[in-house]
Amino acid sequence: IKKYVPKYLGVPSIYIETSRGCPQQCTFCYNNEYNKCRWRGMNAEKSMERIKRGLELSKAKGVFFVDDAFFVNQKRAKGICQGIIDEGLDIKYGVQGVCLKSILRMDDEYLKMVDKSGCRKVMLGVESGSERILKLVKKEITVPEVLEVNRKMAKTNIKPSYYMMAGFPGETRHELKQT
């Protein structure tokens, strides 16, 4: 297995999914149809079992969480982060799917704990720097909120990475032309 473990954040890492779906209703997202805007997550204990087993088998030093929205249930996410700390797992990890609103709900203490657990990167879907476009695609965020998340993250070792949509599919594209 060790031969086939990819590198992420500069270390051999396992990819793991601990939740699926997203409660947001962004007009362009596959989750609207595929998961019907439902989010469901594995509990923290089961997630930790899988993380530890994957690290043990692969001898990896990192994890890439490929969830659509890892921090939706803050208690569950906190349990995973605290579990990584309590187990003494000396790893680096990143999170693919993070809703901006989840970061905004975190206080400084929570963010410090996420940082301490080894999180080094979060990937946030911003999609646009235009308030008009954000409203049109039902992103439910604002440009000032993006800036606030950046300020919060600057206090940690966690680097935010922002998705920007180059073009919106189908119906959304039609709506954009109309406005």
Side-chain angles (χ1 to χ4, degrees):
I1 293 175
K2 194 175 178 181
K3 271 171 87 171
Y4 301 99
V5 176
K7 281 195 172 183
Y8 181 73
L9 297 172
V11 296
S13 300
I14 59 170
Y15 285 39
I16 189 166
E17 182 180 56
T18 66
S19 66
R20 289 191 176 172
C22 177
Q24 304 300 115
Q25 296 179 12
C26 306
T27 60
F28 56 85
C29 189
Y30 82 99
N31 263 309
N32 292 328
E33 288 302 314
Y34 191 74
N35 290 304
K36 306 293 184 213
C37 298
R38 286 184 315 238
W39 178 90
R40 57 203 189 284
M42 195 183 304
N43 67 40
E45 294 78 20
K46 185 71 167 175
S47 297
M48 283 305 303
E49 284 175 27
R50 292 201 176 172
I51 292 164
K52 289 189 317 188
R53 181 74 174 141
L55 292 170
E56 178 186 313
L57 288 172
S58 67
K59 307 296 184 223
K61 298 292 181 196
V63 176
F64 183 40
F65 290 98
V66 294
D67 301 35
D68 291 319
F70 183 83
F71 291 102
V72 166
N73 179 324
Q74 300 242 322
K75 182 178 178 186
R76 178 197 84 95
K78 190 180 274 189
I80 294 169
C81 296
Q82 191 61 54
I84 291 170
I85 294 167
D86 292 348
E87 291 288 335
L89 302 180
D90 185 19
I91 61 171
K92 289 183 185 178
Y93 70 90
V95 182
Q96 172 182 281
V98 179
C99 296
L100 211 77
K101 297 285 189 188
S102 296
I103 301 293
L104 290 170
R105 288 193 326 256
M106 293 179 184
D107 61 17
D108 287 345
E109 186 178 317
Y110 190 151
L111 267 175
K112 284 179 189 171
M113 189 254 312
V114 174
D115 186 355
K116 183 179 177 183
S117 71
C119 185
R120 294 296 167 259
K121 184 176 184 178
V122 292
M123 302 169 83
L124 301 128
V126 173
E127 317 318 341
S128 178
S130 162
E131 295 288 346
R132 182 180 73 83
I133 300 298
L134 291 172
K135 278 184 183 174
L136 190 64
V137 297
K138 298 182 182 173
K139 195 63 190 160
E140 296 183 16
I141 62 171
T142 65
V143 172
E145 288 174 327
V146 175
L147 298 173
E148 176 61 22
V149 164
N150 231 30
R151 281 190 285 279
K152 288 178 82 141
M153 301 307 283
K155 299 175 190 174
T156 71
N157 294 304
I158 306 165
K159 302 296 177 235
S161 173
Y162 299 102
Y163 290 104
M164 297 297 265
M165 189 70 83
F168 293 98
E171 197 173 302
T172 302
R173 228 182 10 250
H174 176 72
E175 290 172 17
L176 289 171
K177 287 179 187 174
Q178 306 260 331
T179 60

